């Protein structure tokens, strides 16, 4: 079998562009990235199917000259799945826009919280109950340490739930 | 008899169609779903006995000429996984039915829930029974798609946030899986697992290694093995309790199953022990350290889930029969126990109004039954003798000691430490939620009420607040900021422009972690009863541990010589002694390394 170099390069470019886009934070861009990656993988299947041949119908081509139909069947399945995923991700992006006014994929908040605790070198309230007989109100898990108030900066809203902001807050 | 193999896949799919057709009649939906679940469990029991008495069951779907077409295969491993997963799915289903019947808080929109849940179980069964790589992929896709819908069910803010990560990770890993399949097909010209077992061993070591690593990476993402596990604790906790429970029990285990299959059947000569051992060690230790840091039960359990995947990988990585037996037993045990724990946490959430350890207290006095339901599986997870977790761990330790390399000893030590830390995490839950007194200012009123009063104003999505479940139609940027604090958790927003202050981070975290603060209420009987059934099943695993471990050893023995599988699928004439000792006719398997011309598929038949 000889691999078709053009197809390999096309697949590579598609997948590279897709990976670049999935590293973005906006779901719509991630979606475009996912679509590009899927198409790249589909092209890979064409590489996998070997040399192109005639249509794989009995009687139309001698069996030796047929192109391999199996990868095509697989690609067909993959395309259908990609269609479904794309629709679902679009719906998610729209729902996210409905709820938040943007479709940014935000960080896990609980995670940021625990990171804050670690940076402030505090233990969480659930570490030892007897240390806190009086303040079992949710005391913001060690987040009640002093933080200087500061003027909002214009770019805050873009990053407010990203790790950078958690780090900024402590500096 | 072989036609039984189709039923675990077909019945749920037909059931899904029926429930979809009757989406206006919840009662019919429940009956259909329930009947399907019970029937599938019956089929799975039959299959286990068939396989154990008569050997591997193979069905060539549609009776195409033999190496063509789709194969369904049930050997010891598949049948056991199928049985455990269907039993667990059925129990979770009855639990969710109890939840539906309880009208005070309906978390699951019935009309979508039932069909999706059935599709999920069809996908899991298909993955366990798949006899070729592409069918395995399709099984994965079926279950993933259902899980996408289930994890974002209701489409609240938290679920959309965590679901997005989950879906993107799922989609990307599927793309990688497809890439792997394309590469495997290009190299060998087949996707049938039995044929692959023969042909992959003929490839040059480099190509074969690349294919192995590709497949392992894909399955490691699904199974949440350490460097690829970060998606799991973020996305699982926000879903409703039954959904999280079934995800935790089954989805990662499908990945583990695939890893076992890949390692034993496709690449038996290259166990990659060191790599897998390190992955197992890091999964265990880092996972459990994450669990210890959490103060929210669902998140903690998600981290223990990741951590205990490490035990199964440990068993596989040893590359010995004893290790495999331990891994298989541990998988069966862990599916049951982890699901039970998540269901019980659903009950805790119901009773206490929250799952945050900072707000819970005194549950043991309020509801001793709940205490028992939690305590037994928690101790089982930690591996306290004589429960099944202990037996599985002892099996793995024994296998590790048998191998005896320094790395294996390190793994044994790591898994002991993990076990202790699991005990610590579980004891922390127990002490905080059950044992201690009710926190003082929460004691005069149920904790959830306190919380919802504090936070209620900000919730756009909680049924407890005035706005009901209606979501804001306008983008939040145009919305007045509630609470007057400047930035609400809903803010994105160019308009408000302030950064969140820490307390809001906290509140937001609670929103996301709790999946919403609920009105504390008595636990509905059906839910407690089904959780109780699973607890009893978990104890049952201990009682039947002897025969079950024997079965697992037979499964491991069968896996250790891939010739069994190949012979059963391709017919005894094909190869009796399997690829390990296979030095036979090259022309027979066709141009294995050369690949994929159109007639190649028939190659292995001769």
């Amino acid at each position: 079998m000889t691999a078709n170099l053009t197809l390999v390069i096309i697949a590579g470019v598609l997948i590279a562009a897709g990976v670049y886009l999935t590293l973005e934070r906006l779901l719509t861009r991630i979606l475009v990235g996912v679509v590009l990656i899927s198409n790249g993988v589909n092209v890979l299947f064409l590489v996998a199917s070997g040399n192109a041949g005639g249509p794989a119908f009995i009687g139309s081509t001698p069996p030796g000259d047929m192109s391999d139909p199996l990868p095509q069947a697989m690609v067909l399945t993959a395309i259908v799945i990609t269609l479904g995923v794309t629709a679902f991700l679009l719906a998610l992006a729209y729902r996210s826009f409905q709820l938040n006014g943007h479709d940014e994929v935000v960080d896990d908040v609980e995670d940021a919280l625990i990171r804050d605790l670690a940076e402030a070198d505090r233990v969480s309230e659930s570490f030892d109950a007897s240390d806190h007989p009086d303040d079992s109100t949710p005391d913001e898990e060690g987040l009640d340490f002093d933080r200087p108030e500061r003027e909002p900066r214009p770019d805050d809203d873009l990053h407010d739930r990203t790790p950078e902001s958690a780090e900024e807050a402590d500096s | 008899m072989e036609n039984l193999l189709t039923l675990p896949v077909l019945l749920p799919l037909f059931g899904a169609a029926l429930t979809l057709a009757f989406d206006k009649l919840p009662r019919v939906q429940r009956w259909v779903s329930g009947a399907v679940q019970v029937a599938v469990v019956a089929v799975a029991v039959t299959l286990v006995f068939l396989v154990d008495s008569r050997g591997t069951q193979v069905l060539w779907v549609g009776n195409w000429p033999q190496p063509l077409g789709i194969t369904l295969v049930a050997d010891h491993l598949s049948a056991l996984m199928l049985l455990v997963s269907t039993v667990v799915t059925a129990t979770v289903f009855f639990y969710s039915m109890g939840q539906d019947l309880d009208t005070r808080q309906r978390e699951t929109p019935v009309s979508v829930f039932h069909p999706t849940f059935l599709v999920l179980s069809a996908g899991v069964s298909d993955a366990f029974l798949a006899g070729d790589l592409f069918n395995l992929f399709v099984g994965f896709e079926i279950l993933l798609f259902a899980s996408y819908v289930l994890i974002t069910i209701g489409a609240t803010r938290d679920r959309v946030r965590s679901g997005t990560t989950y879906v993107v990770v799922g989609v990307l890993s599927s793309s990688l899986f497809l890439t792997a399949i394309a590469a495997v097909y290009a190299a060998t010209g087949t996707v049938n697992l039995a044929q692959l077992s023969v042909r992959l061993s003929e490839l040059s070591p480099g190509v074969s290694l690349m294919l192995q690593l590709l497949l392992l990476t894909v399955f490691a993402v699904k199974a949440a093995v350490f460097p690829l596990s970060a998606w799991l604790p973020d996305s699982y906790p926000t879903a409703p309790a039954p959904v999280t429970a079934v995800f935790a029990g089954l989805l990662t285990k499908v990945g583990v199953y695939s890893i076992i299959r890949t390692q034993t059947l496709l690449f038996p000569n290259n166990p990659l022990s060191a790599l897998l051992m390190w992955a197992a060690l890091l999964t265990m230790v880092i996972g459990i350290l994450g669990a210890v840091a959490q103060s929210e039960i669902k998140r903690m359990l998600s981290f223990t889930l990741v951590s205990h995947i490490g035990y199964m990988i440990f068993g596989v990585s040893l590359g010995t029969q004893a290790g495999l037996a331990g891994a298989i037993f541990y998988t069966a045990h862990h599916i049951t126990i982890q699901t039970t724990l998540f269901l019980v946490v659903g009950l805790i959430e119901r009773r206490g109004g929250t799952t945050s350890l900072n707000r819970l207290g005194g549950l043991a006095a309020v509801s001793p039954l709940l205490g028992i339901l939690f305590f037994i599986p928690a101790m089982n997870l930690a591996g306290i003798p004589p429960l099944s977790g202990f037996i599985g761990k002892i099996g793995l330790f024994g296998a590790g000691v048998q191998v005896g390399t320094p790395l294996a000893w390190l793994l044994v030590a790591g898994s002991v430490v993990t076990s202790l830390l699991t005990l610590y995490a579980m004891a922390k839950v127990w002490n905080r939620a059950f044992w201690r007194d009710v926190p003082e200012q929460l004691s005069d009123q149920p904790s959830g009420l306190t919380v919802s009063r504090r936070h209620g104003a900000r919730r756009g999505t909680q049924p407890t607040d005035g706005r009901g479940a209606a979501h804001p139609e306008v983008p939040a940027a145009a919305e007045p900021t509630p609470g007057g604090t400047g930035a609400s958790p809903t803010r994105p927003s160019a308009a408000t422009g302030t950064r969140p202050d820490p307390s809001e981070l906290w509140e937001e975290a609670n929103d996301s972690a709790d999946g919403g603060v609920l009105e504390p209420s008595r636990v509905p009987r059906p839910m407690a009863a089904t959780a109780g059934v699973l607890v009893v099943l978990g104890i049952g695993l201990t009682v039947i541990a002897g025969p079950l471990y024997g079965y697992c050893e037979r499964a491991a023995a069968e896996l250790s010589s891939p010739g069994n599988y190949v012979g059963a699928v391709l017919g005894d004439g094909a190869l009796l002694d399997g690829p390990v000792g296979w030095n036979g006719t090259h022309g027979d398997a066709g141009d294995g390394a050369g690949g994929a011309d159109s007639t190649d598929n028939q190659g292995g038949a001769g």
Side-chain angles (χ1 to χ4, degrees):
Chain A
M1 181 180 108
T2 52
N4 186 328
L5 190 61
T6 324
L7 287 181
V8 173
I9 291 174
I10 290 177
V13 169
L14 281 175
I15 291 177
V19 168
Y20 181 78
L21 278 171
T22 45
L23 298 177
E24 291 280 338
R25 275 209 172 251
L26 293 182
L27 190 51
T28 34
R29 294 190 187 175
I30 294 175
L31 175 64
V32 175
V34 164
V35 171
L36 285 182
I37 291 181
S38 314
N39 285 335
V41 174
N42 292 346
V43 173
L44 269 187
F45 264 99
L46 292 186
V47 181
S49 71
N51 303 331
F57 293 110
I58 295 175
S60 68
T61 322
D65 298 338
M66 285 181 185
S67 55
D68 190 352
L70 191 57
Q72 296 178 12
M74 293 182 192
V75 168
L76 206 57
T77 317
I79 289 174
V80 173
I81 290 170
T82 311
L83 172 76
V85 164
T86 310
F88 192 82
L89 275 175
L90 271 177
L92 263 189
Y94 180 67
R95 179 63 178 158
S96 177
F97 172 76
Q98 251 184 352
L99 287 168
N100 302 324
H102 62 84
D103 64 344
E104 194 175 323
V105 181
V106 289
D107 278 359
D108 187 2
V109 198
E110 180 100 359
D111 222 35
L113 211 77
I114 287 177
R115 200 163 43 225
D116 272 5
L117 278 180
E119 278 168 7
D121 200 19
R122 303 262 312 234
V123 296
S124 82
E125 198 208 341
S126 58
F127 176 66
D128 187 356
S130 59
D131 284 350
H132 309 266
D134 295 323
D135 57 354
S136 46
T137 15
D139 69 351
E140 281 73 46
E141 285 218 309
L143 286 169
D144 51 352
F145 54 86
D146 293 334
R147 285 187 174 185
E149 292 293 322
R150 62 176 181 80
E151 289 298 306
R153 289 203 311 239
D155 60 337
D156 275 345
D157 52 309
L158 292 177
H159 297 291
D160 48 13
R161 270 176 285 183
T162 59
E164 292 85 10
S165 67
E167 281 157 22
E168 267 171 33
D170 291 319
S171 58
Chain B
M1 260 338 209
E2 288 80 25
N3 288 329
L4 269 185
L5 284 173
T6 55
L7 291 183
V9 184
L10 285 186
L11 280 180
L13 285 180
F14 281 132
L18 269 181
T19 47
L20 210 54
F22 289 110
D23 70 329
K24 297 289 188 296
L25 302 169
R27 184 187 294 262
V28 179
Q29 277 196 322
R30 280 196 289 270
W31 275 104
V32 171
S33 302
V36 167
Q37 303 279 4
V38 172
V40 173
V41 172
V43 172
V45 172
T46 322
L47 273 179
V48 167
F49 281 108
L50 263 182
V51 168
D52 207 25
S53 58
R54 292 198 210 165
T56 307
Q57 303 289 310
V58 182
L59 174 70
W60 289 89
V61 177
N63 219 1
W64 291 84
Q66 281 246 331
L68 293 176
I70 294 170
T71 346
L72 295 177
V73 184
D75 60 356
H76 277 84
L77 175 64
S78 303
L80 179 66
M81 291 294 119
L82 190 69
L83 176 61
V84 179
S85 72
T86 49
V87 167
V88 164
T89 319
T91 328
V92 173
F93 164 76
F94 286 112
Y95 177 96
S96 70
M97 214 159 77
Q99 198 168 27
D100 283 339
L101 292 174
D102 182 47
T103 47
R104 293 187 55 171
Q105 173 235 344
R106 178 163 290 173
E107 269 203 66
T108 49
V110 187
S111 58
V112 195
F113 180 76
H114 284 283
T116 320
F117 198 76
L118 286 171
V119 170
L120 180 82
S121 78
V124 173
S125 304
D126 191 35
F128 285 144
L129 292 175
D132 65 71
L133 212 49
F134 199 76
N135 198 15
L136 184 65
F137 168 76
V138 172
F140 267 116
E141 284 307 311
I142 297 174
L143 74 89
L144 278 179
F145 244 97
S147 73
Y148 297 159
V149 175
L150 287 174
I151 209 164
T152 54
I153 208 161
T156 62
R157 176 172 289 115
D158 302 323
R159 288 181 193 158
V160 168
R161 182 194 68 76
S162 60
T164 305
T165 324
Y166 179 79
V167 175
V168 172
V169 170
V171 171
L172 291 180
S173 68
S174 298
S175 297
L176 199 57
F177 198 175
L178 269 179
T179 314
I181 292 176
V184 166
Y185 188 81
T188 63
T190 180
V191 287
N192 185 299
L193 289 179
Q195 274 187 306
L196 279 178
S197 176
V198 178
R199 294 193 192 176
L200 283 171
S201 60
E202 295 174 345
L203 293 180
S204 68
V207 177
S208 159
L209 181 67
M210 187 206 74
L211 296 178
Q212 187 178 10
L213 287 178
L214 260 178
L215 286 173
L216 279 182
T217 311
V218 173
F219 298 138
V221 175
K222 314 278 188 198
V225 176
F226 164 62
L228 307 166
S229 63
W231 56 272
L232 191 146
D234 183 18
S235 48
Y236 276 17
T238 50
V243 171
T244 318
V246 78
F247 281 19
L250 299 181
L251 300 200
T252 48
K253 304 309 182 302
V254 181
V256 172
Y257 164 83
S258 310
I259 290 180
I260 296 181
R261 219 14 125 210
T262 316
Q263 286 295 94
T264 57
L265 181 63
L266 300 187
F267 303 97
N269 301 325
N270 190 14
L272 287 182
S273 284
L275 178 74
L276 284 176
M277 279 181 177
W278 280 111
L281 184 68
L282 292 174
T283 310
M284 283 193 282
V285 172
I286 293 181
I288 201 64
L289 288 180
V292 166
Q294 305 299 318
S295 54
E296 212 282 320
I297 308 179
K298 283 187 189 171
R299 289 182 66 89
M300 181 189 282
L301 284 179
S302 305
F303 274 100
T304 60
L305 168 62
V306 172
S307 158
H308 284 236
I309 294 292
Y311 282 100
M312 298 158 216
I313 305 301
F314 170 22
V316 180
S317 70
L318 294 174
T320 62
Q321 206 167 312
L324 270 181
I328 296 169
F329 184 85
Y330 204 86
T331 311
H333 145 82
H334 196 252
I335 292 178
T336 320
I337 299 307
Q338 193 76 43
T339 310
T340 317
L341 279 171
F342 270 109
L343 287 187
V344 174
V345 169
L347 298 180
I348 293 178
E349 185 170 23
R350 186 58 77 90
R351 194 70 189 85
T354 171
T355 54
S356 169
L357 287 177
N358 297 329
R359 302 216 175 80
L360 286 168
L363 276 177
V366 179
S367 175
L369 176 69
L370 198 53
I372 296 172
L373 287 183
F374 178 79
F375 189 77
I376 296 174
M379 290 303 112
N380 201 341
L381 186 72
I384 298 296
L387 296 166
S388 56
F390 173 74
I391 299 168
K393 281 173 185 135
I394 282 293
L396 287 172
F397 294 168
V401 171
Q402 228 174 40
V403 169
T405 58
L407 197 52
W409 279 103
L410 184 66
L411 258 176
V412 172
S415 48
V416 171
V417 170
T418 308
S419 181
L420 285 176
L421 285 175
T422 311
L423 184 62
Y424 168 74
M426 290 299 121
K428 182 166 135 180
V429 175
W430 177 257
N431 286 338
R432 299 286 299 185
F434 289 91
W435 222 229
R436 71 163 173 173
D437 297 332
V438 181
E440 268 177 37
Q441 59 274 59
L442 304 182
S443 58
D444 51 338
Q445 50 193 321
S447 53
L449 292 183
T450 322
V451 177
S452 57
R453 186 197 292 163
R454 277 191 75 225
H455 301 236
R458 315 180 179 284
R459 288 164 198 284
T461 52
Q462 296 314 314
T464 47
D465 75 21
R467 282 185 287 169
H471 52 79
E473 293 293 334
V474 283
E479 206 180 64
T481 48
T485 49
S488 78
T490 67
R491 123 234 47 130
S493 75
T496 53
T498 49
R499 66 178 310 283
D501 78 35
S503 68
E504 279 173 353
L505 256 187
W506 158 254
E507 288 162 4
E508 200 172 296
N510 268 311
D511 284 1
S512 68
D514 294 354
V517 174
L518 317 163
E519 299 272 337
S521 63
R522 294 203 71 82
V523 171
R525 270 217 190 104
M527 290 168 73
T530 39
V533 167
L534 261 187
V535 172
V536 171
L537 277 178
I539 300 174
L541 279 185
T542 312
V543 176
I544 61 157
L548 183 60
Y549 213 95
Y551 182 94
C552 292
E553 275 167 350
R554 286 197 292 284
E558 189 179 65
L559 291 174
S560 300
S561 51
N564 292 333
Y565 189 99
V566 178
V569 174
L570 296 180
D572 289 336
L575 329 136
L576 272 176
D577 45 1
V580 183
W582 198 68
N583 47 8
T585 50
H586 259 247
D588 195 30
D591 24 13
D597 36 296
S598 56
T599 52
D600 193 33
N601 275 310
Q602 287 95 349

